[in-house]
Amino acid sequence: MKTNLDAALKVLREGGIILYPTDTVWGIGCDASNEEAVRKVFALKQRSDSKSLVLLAESADMIADHIEEMPEMAAQLLEVNDAPMTIIYPGAIVRKSAQQKGPCLAASCVAEDGSVGMRIPGSSEFCMKLLAAFRKPIVSTSANISGEATPAGFADISDAVKEGVDYIVEPHCQGRATGRSSQIIKVDLDGGIKIIRG
């Protein structure tokens, strides 16, 4: 696993994109703070950049660093949740210039309303080690061209996607992935909850 981690980290730090296993399905990933890298992901997926992306974070603290305020309801959900769950948080902190200091996200990762979806992939040893070493959120969008079916496993990923990334993590790093997309819940600061995908 170490060889794959080192290679994936090198690509992420250089602004490239990777194909990697998550706690759910295989994902196309990049540095979520790098606007140019995020645009490469949209180009590969042939997807409109008006659609936001799901990000992976190592911990609740990493999530909190990238949003203006942690909704109390979201914090409670993170404490009790034991299945893959993406939470859409309000108030993403967006990179406004290359010189900006502190944690921030590429604007293309964020929805028009300023929200951002993030998940802690706790059941994926590879993802958690990658996030711990990278120390920033990583984009995790399904490994398919926009409009095509989400691949359940590595064998289902198209050659177009495999050829379009800078590094492919070896399938043996997959671990206990569910093979299904995560639940998505949108949480407001006032405690409101909306289930986007059950």
Side-chain angles (χ1 to χ4, degrees):
M1 183 180 288
K2 185 178 187 306
T3 301
N4 283 269
L5 282 168
D6 289 346
L9 276 169
K10 184 175 187 292
V11 169
L12 291 173
R13 287 170 177 155
E14 292 174 352
I17 58 178
I18 62 172
L19 178 61
Y20 69 117
T22 75
D23 55 329
T24 57
V25 297
W26 277 74
I28 300 169
C30 71
D31 177 352
S33 69
N34 184 325
E35 186 70 40
E36 188 176 334
V38 174
R39 291 192 179 278
K40 290 180 190 174
V41 172
F42 278 114
L44 174 57
K45 283 185 66 81
Q46 300 171 30
R47 177 176 171 176
S48 165
D49 62 8
S50 65
K51 294 183 177 180
S52 56
L53 296 168
V54 170
L55 312 180
L56 299 184
E58 181 199 9
S59 63
D61 286 344
M62 183 180 281
I63 292 171
D65 284 345
H66 291 84
I67 56 177
E68 292 171 3
E69 183 179 348
M70 174 68 78
E72 187 176 335
M73 180 58 69
Q76 292 172 6
L77 286 170
L78 289 174
E79 281 185 19
V80 301
N81 182 60
D82 60 358
M85 177 179 61
T86 299
I87 297 177
I88 299 176
Y89 300 87
I93 298 173
V94 177
R95 180 178 296 283
K96 294 184 169 62
S97 73
Q99 292 75 36
Q100 185 172 338
K101 303 292 185 188
C104 52
L105 301 171
S108 294
C109 291
V110 177
E112 290 179 354
D113 66 358
S115 64
V116 63
M118 289 194 263
R119 181 172 82 252
I120 300 171
S123 64
S124 170
E125 181 185 3
F126 178 82
C127 285
M128 293 303 282
K129 286 186 173 181
L130 184 64
L131 288 159
F134 192 55
R135 301 173 68 184
K136 291 189 280 186
I138 298 170
V139 166
S140 176
T141 183
S142 56
N144 60 294
I145 304 300
S146 190
E148 295 180 358
T150 298
F154 182 76
D156 305 311
I157 300 169
S158 71
D159 289 342
V161 169
K162 291 175 182 173
E163 291 164 6
V165 300
D166 299 302
Y167 180 71
I168 300 174
V169 173
E170 293 177 64
H172 71 77
C173 294
Q174 183 168 321
R176 304 190 313 268
T178 64
R180 299 185 308 275
S181 299
S182 73
Q183 181 182 32
I184 300 178
I185 298 173
K186 188 168 187 175
V187 178
D188 298 325
L189 287 173
D190 62 6
I193 290 181
K194 182 179 181 181
I195 297 175
I196 307 295
R197 183 170 67 205

